[in-house]
Amino acid sequence: MILQALATLPSSSANCRSDSFRLILWVWAVTVFSWVRLVGSHPQSARRPVDRSAACAQAAERPSTHVECRKNTKRVQSGYYVRNAGLPQQPEPAPSDPRPETLEVEISELVFQVLSQARNRELVPLGSAFPSPELFPLEVLSRSLSRAVRELDPWRTVEDLPPGSDRLRRQISLRYLAAGYNVSAEEIVVTNGAMEALNLCLEAVTSPGDLVAIEAPTFYAALQAVERLNLRAVEVATHPRTGVDIPSLAAVLERHPVKACWFMTNFQNPLGSLMPDENKQALVTLLADRGIPLIEDDVYGELYFGLRKPLPAKAYDRQGLVLHCSSFSKDLAPGYRVGWAAAGKFATTVARRKLMSSLAAAVPSQEGLAEYLQRGGYDRHLRQLRQALSRQQAIAARAVAKHFPAGTRLTRPEGGYFLWVELPATVDALQLHRLALSHSISVAPGHLFSADRRFSNFLRLSYGHPDDKRVESAIRTVGALAHSLIGKG
C-alpha cells in the first residue's frame, strides 16, 4: 500500500507538507525493502542460512507469502530452493564449448521458416516461445484498461512520447525498489515489448561491423538482431545451470574487440540457466573494467520457482553500463506489447532511437497496465503462474525421461518454462521438427539457437501450456519419432 501511495502522489507539490510526506514515505520504503533483501542478497560467503521451518511458520500467519514448505524441497547454490519431486535424475547437457572465432550471422531465413510452420493454434505448442494465454488475468486487465481509457486526458494520446507514461514508469521503478535496488523512473524507456527494447539498446551501443558477445546457445532473436544491424557475433561458453562462464568470457574479451554483450542472466532461453549472484557481480565488474555495455534480457525474471526473485546483473551496476530490458509479455499481458529498457547512461540515446523508429508505445496499453499495477494483484497472479509452471515442468520432465531415447539429457531449470533437451548425436532435430509437425506438434529445433547451427541434436521444449491436455501425449509421440531417427543421421 505504501508503494501504491508513492505511485499516486504527484511528482511535485504546492505545499511543503506534501513534499515532506513523500520524502518520509520514500525513506520508509527504501529502509523496509533493504531489510527484506538483507538475507540472501549478499555473496554466498556472507549470507545467513534460511530457516525453512521458521519460514513455513511465518507463511501460515501470512498466507500471501510464497513459500514452498514441503519435504521434497532441497537447498541448492546461491540461496535458491527447488523442489525434488522424486523425478528421474536425467543427466544434464554438458556446458557449451564454442569455437573462439567471430561469426557472420545468417539465421533469419531458418527462423522465419520454422516459426511460420508452427503458428497454427491446432498444433500442440511444445515449440512455442509464449506461455498459454489462459494463464493470464485478461478479464481483470481489460477492466483496468477500460478504467484507464475512460479517465485518459485526450491530449495524452498526442503528447505521450518517449520515454513513455510517467505513471507506468513510476510503477516499474517501484518494482525495482521492491526487489531491493533502485532504478529511477527517469532511466526507464517504455517500448513495444522487450524485443524493441533489446534492439534499441543494441543500436545505441554498437555500429555496423562491431563485435557482440552472445551465449551459446542463445535466443534466436539475439542472432536476428545481430544480423539485422550488420554486426558480428562471438559465442561464449555457457553452462546449462549457471549460465555464462566468466573465465571463458574473460578469455574472449582478451582475444577480441567486443563492443557489447547480450546475455540472459535469469532463466536463459533456451537453457533455463540461472547465473548465481556472485557470477552476476563478477560479470558486471569484468565488463565495467573494460567499459563494455551489457544488454541484459530479463523477460523471465518473475517466473522463478524458489523463495525469492533472483536479482539481475543490473542490481550490481554502478556505472550505468547495464541496459536492463524486460516486459509484461511473458508473465502478464502478451498482447499488450509493453516492455521497457532501464538503459542507464544510454537512456537518452535509447529514447531518441525509440522516437525515430516507432514514435511511441500505445498509450492505452501503458495506462491500462499502470492502473492494474497500482491497484494490486500482480504478485498474487505471479504466485499462481509460477506454481502452475513449476507443476508442469515436473510433468514434462517426467515424460521426457520416460519416452525419449536412452542417452537423452535435459535441463531442470529453477524458473521460466523451457527444457533444453539433448538427443543422441544421430538424431537430426530439424528432421524431428518436420516429423512432429506431421503429427500436429511443434518443437523448436536446436539449429535456431546458434549462428553456426551446431546444436543439431537438441530441442527446446516448452512446458508453458499446463492447460493443454495433449502435452503428455505429444511428448510421448516426439519421443517415439526420435527413436525412429536413431541411426539415420
Side-chain angles (χ1 to χ4, degrees):
M1 291 182 65
I2 292 293
L3 295 181
Q4 293 174 17
L6 283 168
T8 55
L9 284 173
S11 58
S12 61
S13 175
N15 63 71
C16 62
R17 284 184 301 174
S18 179
D19 286 338
S20 298
F21 182 57
R22 168 180 284 274
L23 178 61
I24 291 169
L25 285 174
W26 273 111
V27 172
W28 186 91
V30 170
T31 302
V32 169
F33 283 111
S34 296
W35 179 85
V36 168
R37 295 295 301 183
L38 182 60
V39 176
S41 63
H42 301 293
Q44 190 161 356
S45 60
R47 187 178 305 144
R48 296 175 59 188
V50 176
D51 184 341
R52 189 164 59 86
S53 61
C56 293
Q58 293 171 5
E61 296 175 6
R62 300 193 302 273
S64 62
T65 304
H66 177 56
V67 180
E68 295 284 354
C69 301
R70 300 179 183 176
K71 292 188 298 183
N72 55 7
T73 302
K74 66 177 182 179
R75 180 73 181 266
V76 295
Q77 54 84 30
S78 296
Y80 296 91
Y81 288 78
V82 293
R83 292 200 313 265
N84 177 7
L87 294 176
Q89 294 301 305
Q90 293 286 107
E92 67 184 9
S96 65
D97 186 22
R99 292 188 291 272
E101 66 264 22
T102 64
L103 300 168
E104 301 292 334
V105 179
E106 294 182 4
I107 195 71
S108 288
E109 189 60 38
L110 177 62
V111 172
F112 292 143
Q113 175 189 340
V114 171
L115 295 185
S116 66
Q117 294 169 340
R119 294 177 63 182
N120 184 349
R121 69 163 60 185
E122 299 304 318
L123 297 177
V124 183
L126 298 182
S128 176
F130 291 94
S132 168
E134 302 294 334
L135 295 171
F136 301 123
L138 299 180
E139 290 186 13
V140 179
L141 281 169
S142 68
R143 291 195 293 270
S144 295
L145 180 61
S146 296
R147 281 192 298 268
V149 171
R150 283 197 304 269
E151 299 168 3
L152 186 65
D153 177 356
W155 281 97
R156 291 282 308 285
T157 60
V158 293
E159 292 176 344
D160 214 342
L161 300 176
S165 162
D166 289 342
R167 185 184 182 194
L168 179 59
R169 290 187 298 126
R170 283 198 302 270
Q171 287 292 334
I172 294 170
S173 178
L174 289 173
R175 298 291 302 179
Y176 284 113
L177 181 62
Y181 59 103
N182 183 49
V183 173
S184 168
E186 300 302 313
E187 182 184 336
I188 296 168
V189 181
V190 181
T191 59
N192 296 318
M195 280 314 308
E196 184 181 42
L198 290 158
N199 277 267
L200 290 173
C201 288
L202 189 61
E203 288 180 23
V205 300
T206 61
S207 300
D210 281 349
L211 186 62
V212 180
I214 58 175
E215 296 141 324
T218 192
F219 179 37
Y220 50 74
L223 296 170
Q224 289 180 293
V226 169
E227 179 181 353
R228 183 180 67 83
L229 295 175
N230 295 312
L231 303 170
R232 294 173 299 130
V234 58
E235 296 181 321
V236 179
T238 308
H239 193 280
R241 219 174 332 112
T242 57
V244 171
D245 182 78
I246 301 300
S248 296
L249 175 60
V252 166
L253 299 182
E254 285 295 322
R255 180 168 180 168
H256 298 290
V258 171
K259 296 299 184 182
C261 297
W262 177 326
F263 298 147
M264 299 180 74
T265 59
N266 294 326
F267 316 124
Q268 192 253 14
N269 179 1
L271 289 174
S273 59
L274 172 63
M275 289 186 72
D277 290 345
E278 54 270 28
N279 288 21
K280 291 171 184 169
Q281 192 167 10
L283 170 64
V284 172
T285 300
L286 177 66
L287 297 181
D289 288 346
R290 293 162 174 76
I292 298 174
L294 169 63
I295 300 168
E296 185 177 21
D297 183 351
D298 194 24
V299 294
Y300 305 105
E302 294 284 5
L303 302 181
Y304 57 95
F305 301 156
L307 291 176
R308 66 179 180 90
K309 179 181 177 180
L311 289 171
K314 179 71 174 178
Y316 302 103
D317 181 26
R318 300 294 178 268
Q319 297 186 20
L321 286 170
V322 179
L323 298 86
H324 182 255
C325 301
S326 191
S327 81
F328 298 105
S329 296
K330 300 297 191 293
D331 59 47
L332 180 62
Y336 283 48
R337 303 305 305 150
V338 174
W340 70 91
K345 65 191 295 183
F346 305 99
T348 299
T349 302
V350 170
R352 289 174 177 173
R353 287 185 175 274
K354 165 67 179 170
L355 184 63
M356 289 188 292
S357 61
S358 59
L359 193 62
V363 174
S365 296
Q366 293 186 71
E367 292 304 312
L369 284 169
E371 172 78 10
Y372 174 84
L373 295 172
Q374 187 171 312
R375 286 178 172 267
Y378 184 33
D379 287 303
R380 181 171 60 252
H381 155 68
L382 288 173
R383 285 193 294 272
Q384 295 169 350
L385 176 59
R386 290 191 289 260
Q387 289 165 2
L389 293 176
S390 178
R391 288 192 297 268
Q392 189 64 19
Q393 184 200 82
I395 292 170
R398 192 178 290 117
V400 169
K402 181 177 181 180
H403 298 295
F404 275 50
T408 295
R409 296 170 175 262
L410 76 155
T411 55
R412 287 299 307 279
E414 298 174 43
Y417 49 87
F418 297 123
L419 294 176
W420 183 240
V421 181
E422 181 181 3
L423 296 157
T426 57
V427 177
D428 184 323
L430 200 55
Q431 187 177 358
L432 181 56
H433 152 74
R434 297 185 181 112
L435 287 173
L437 282 177
S438 70
H439 290 76
S440 298
I441 302 167
S442 73
V443 297
H447 303 66
L448 300 178
F449 300 97
S450 176
D452 61 5
R453 309 185 187 185
R454 72 176 172 283
F455 294 103
S456 59
N457 61 313
F458 287 76
L459 292 178
R460 188 196 68 186
L461 295 181
S462 169
Y463 53 87
H465 291 254
D467 54 311
D468 194 327
K469 306 303 181 185
R470 304 171 296 169
V471 166
E472 287 187 75
S473 175
I475 292 176
R476 182 170 61 249
T477 298
V478 175
L481 295 172
H483 275 284
S484 73
L485 292 176
I486 291 179
K488 295 183 179 181

